[in-house]
Amino acid sequence: MTVNGEIKFSPEELARYSRHLILPEFNIEGQKKLKQAKVLVVGTGGLGAPLLLYLAAAGVGTIGLVDFDVVDDSNLQRQVLFTRDDLGIPKVIAAKKRLEALNPFIKIIPHQTALTSDNALDIIRDYDVVADGTDNFPTRYLVNDACVLLGKVNVYASIYRFEGQATVFNYKNKAGELGPNYRDLFPTPPPPGLVPSCAEGGVLGVLPGILGSIQASEVIKVLSGVGEPLSGRLFLFDAATFETRTLKIKRRKDNPLNGENPSQTGLIDYQQFCGFEKPTDQAEKLPVKSINVKQLQELIDRNANIQIVDVREAYEYEIANIHGELMPKSEVTSHVQKISKDKQVIVHCRSGKRSADVIEMLQEKYGFDNLYNLEGGILAWAKEIDQSMPTY
Amino acid sequence: MAKIIIPTPLRKFTSNQAAVAVQEGTVLESIRDLTQQFPDLDKHLFNEDQKLRGFVRIFIGENDIEDLEGQETRVNPGDTISIIPAIAGGL
């Protein structure tokens, strides 16, 4: 509650936040700052789950959530906000219910949408701090650019397999000095496909729990003014080796948003920036031919003279395979001699995406014209041909 | 020798080694030693003009080589070089 513009707490709130109130550096002043703050969490997934639970528990007064997705089985390994009862429900709705149950004294604002160049400035404008828990490069650059353009702090973390990164971008310290942002650290994104998403490359379930908690801690520090935020420093954590490093990062003169000669004054097309849209000169690229799993079964049944190439990783092959020759996507070019140029060659992966990329590359660079993508990959095979096959 | 820590996304090009021992000298010489040991890495670290790609940063100890003498920065025996690529996962 606010009385004459001053933040007040009910007796229930004072009891709830007592461990903060007795913290010497934090006390009621820090708690007031949390209560009047508005934080936007983009992505209510692995990072978003612990981040939101701790921000809500800590008493951040207004929390916005952005996510377009619904809760899925495969989320529950790490997205501890959700339970089986939430399956199929929009994440922002399930999260709102959970967070309100945890803390009825705060306001939760769901934005059930993907963050895009069209809506990002309007959504972010109303908040003080943004915490980025998204899962792809276009959205990472979008969140960063919108925060820099609007002058918002961007509390950042990202994860891959066993490894995590965290930092605080676009933070102005008490001396008024502005810290670096994402474009100072990584001026350009990696080409599509080099750094797979967690959906393709996997992630240790507890890892986003650790990194998301670090994000929550940094958000609370930024809001309360307690401690030294992780600005100008990049924290790295490898859960596999328990190696941690904290590296120094600085602003760059050539940052297009706020370097010496800024060239970008608005949001751009981030899909294109990250290379996901094909430039027009590639429009003549050969289409990727494909066959479905039933057609493949017929070929196998009549002992047709075909070659099956499996472009997944060895550990995926161990889970389930259809006796293809294993040539992981990243190593295909070193196995190219083994791929027949005469026979019909069926290339497959888990779902059909990686194999289509491989075929496109082999057609373009090596002139193959006998490659066929298996539609739906080994998942389709498990669903339609061999139901005893494990899926993953 | 110096040590280069290989980040997860690039370990598929180093036979899954998390750290590789390399010759000291300049940063460029140390990284060239790495890419000679693991040639597939080269195109992921350098562009056609042999410049380091924009999604990769190189640190010696805790310092970005861009804040030192770039690829000519001296690497001493026992130094740790970190290759830091952009990763985006979060869901």
Side-chain angles (χ1 to χ4, degrees), chain A residues 32-83:
Chain A
K32 281 183 187 170
K33 287 176 184 160
L34 294 193
K35 186 167 178 172
Q36 62 189 340
K38 295 179 171 181
V39 176
L40 182 71
V41 175
V42 187
T44 57
L47 292 168
L51 176 55
L52 285 164
L53 286 168
Y54 278 113
L55 294 183
V60 170
T62 304
I63 301 175
L65 317 169
V66 182
D67 208 309
F68 66 89
D69 216 350
V70 297
V71 181
D72 174 81
D73 270 337
S74 68
N75 299 151
L76 303 180
Q77 165 250 23
R78 63 200 176 285
Q79 298 180 14
V80 294
L81 258 180
F82 308 121
T83 70

Side-chain angles (χ1 to χ4, degrees), chain A residues 43 45-47 78-79 133-137 140 156 158-161 163 165 182 184-191 194-195 198 234 236 238 243 245-250 252 330, chain B residues 3 5-13 16 18-19 40 43-45 53-64 66-67 80-91:
Chain A
L47 292 168
R78 63 200 176 285
Q79 298 180 14
T134 59
D135 69 341
N136 61 81
F137 288 105
R140 295 287 186 180
Y156 172 94
S158 63
I159 48 170
Y160 178 66
R161 294 197 167 161
E163 207 165 348
Q165 304 179 347
Y182 194 47
D184 293 305
L185 181 59
F186 297 117
T188 55
L194 178 65
V195 183
C198 294
L234 177 67
L236 304 169
D238 184 342
E243 185 140 3
R245 285 168 284 168
T246 307
L247 309 177
K248 289 179 189 163
I249 53 176
K250 293 188 179 169
R252 289 171 66 110
S330 60
Chain B
K3 178 171 86 170
I5 299 180
I6 311 295
T8 310
L10 297 180
R11 281 181 202 163
K12 60 189 167 203
F13 307 112
N16 274 325
D40 286 346
K43 64 177 188 290
H44 297 296
L45 297 179
R53 292 185 179 274
F55 63 93
V56 179
R57 300 303 287 262
I58 308 286
F59 290 76
I60 293 189
E62 61 176 12
N63 294 304
D64 190 331
E66 295 297 317
D67 301 321
T80 297
I81 300 170
S82 298
I83 299 176
I84 309 297
I87 56 175
L91 288 192

Side-chain angles (χ1 to χ4, degrees), chain A residues 105-222:
Chain A
F105 304 106
I106 60 172
K107 189 173 165 193
I108 306 293
I109 303 174
H111 302 273
Q112 196 189 336
T113 174
L115 198 72
T116 67
S117 297
D118 292 331
N119 63 19
L121 294 174
D122 284 339
I123 293 177
I124 293 175
R125 184 173 284 121
D126 293 335
Y127 294 88
D128 306 312
V129 170
V130 175
D132 180 356
T134 59
D135 69 341
N136 61 81
F137 288 105
T139 316
R140 295 287 186 180
Y141 280 94
L142 167 62
V143 172
N144 178 74
D145 291 5
C147 286
V148 174
L149 292 169
L150 293 168
K152 310 289 183 186
V153 179
N154 173 14
V155 178
Y156 172 94
S158 63
I159 48 170
Y160 178 66
R161 294 197 167 161
F162 292 90
E163 207 165 348
Q165 304 179 347
T167 186
V168 174
F169 286 130
N170 207 43
Y171 173 77
K172 202 176 261 182
N173 67 15
K174 284 163 191 156
E177 296 154 345
L178 187 66
N181 64 65
Y182 194 47
R183 284 179 181 264
D184 293 305
L185 181 59
F186 297 117
T188 55
L194 178 65
V195 183
S197 68
C198 294
E200 290 175 287
V203 64
L204 183 71
V206 66
L207 182 70
I210 297 166
L211 270 295
S213 299
I214 289 174
Q215 271 181 299
S217 167
E218 290 304 311
V219 169
I220 289 168
K221 283 162 61 188
V222 168

